[in-house]
Amino acid sequence: MKIGELAERTGVSVRALRYYEEQGLLHAERSESGQRRYTDPAVSRVRLIQQLYGAGISSASIAEMLPCMATGIASPQVLAKLHGHRASVLRQIEELQDTLGQLDTVIAGATSSHGRGTPCPPY
């Protein structure tokens, strides 16, 4: 598929896909005219890259991780980094769960106030 189709299928800009390629995160075959061509697995790879970025992981760290994700083999240093990223994601999940609990409390209060016909009190 062409770069525009990959961008459309993943919701990622063409510019970002070119950046991923520059960083060694994504590989494209080139047609005789020089156009980028991606295989279907590129869609999953771009989604994975987006998830890792969303977790706050840098492109340099992602570039280190991707080969061992494909092979299952990692150096002790990369394995230590993977454990560090995992711990960071777990902290983010805990923080998001706390935020969710607070939102649930606000929603419950607002629903109760609405049912009584009174506005929510100021926080």
Side-chain angles (χ1 to χ4, degrees), residues 74-110:
S75 69
Q77 296 85 357
V78 171
L79 189 56
K81 285 184 180 184
L82 288 168
H83 281 291
H85 290 307
R86 184 181 188 284
S88 174
V89 169
L90 281 174
R91 281 190 301 277
Q92 290 176 47
I93 289 169
E94 290 168 0
E95 290 170 7
L96 287 170
Q97 286 175 330
D98 182 50
T99 301
L100 180 61
Q102 292 182 33
L103 282 171
D104 287 342
T105 300
V106 170
I107 290 168

Side-chain angles (χ1 to χ4, degrees), residues 15-69:
R15 183 176 178 190
L17 294 174
R18 287 186 183 124
Y19 174 77
Y20 295 170
E21 191 173 342
E22 289 170 10
Q23 297 301 306
L25 306 177
L26 187 62
H27 176 72
E29 299 293 326
R30 295 288 185 151
S31 69
E32 288 183 20
S33 63
Q35 288 184 326
R36 291 171 174 87
R37 296 285 184 179
Y38 298 94
T39 59
D40 286 337
V43 173
S44 297
R45 187 169 186 114
V46 169
R47 289 184 179 143
L48 172 62
I49 292 166
Q50 286 291 290
Q51 289 174 329
L52 295 171
Y53 272 137
I57 300 172
S58 71
S59 59
S61 290
I62 294 170
E64 285 182 317
M65 283 189 262
L66 288 175
C68 65
M69 290 177 151

Side-chain angles (χ1 to χ4, degrees), residues 107-120:
I107 290 168
T111 301
S112 177
S113 292
H114 179 74
R116 290 189 311 270
T118 59
C120 289

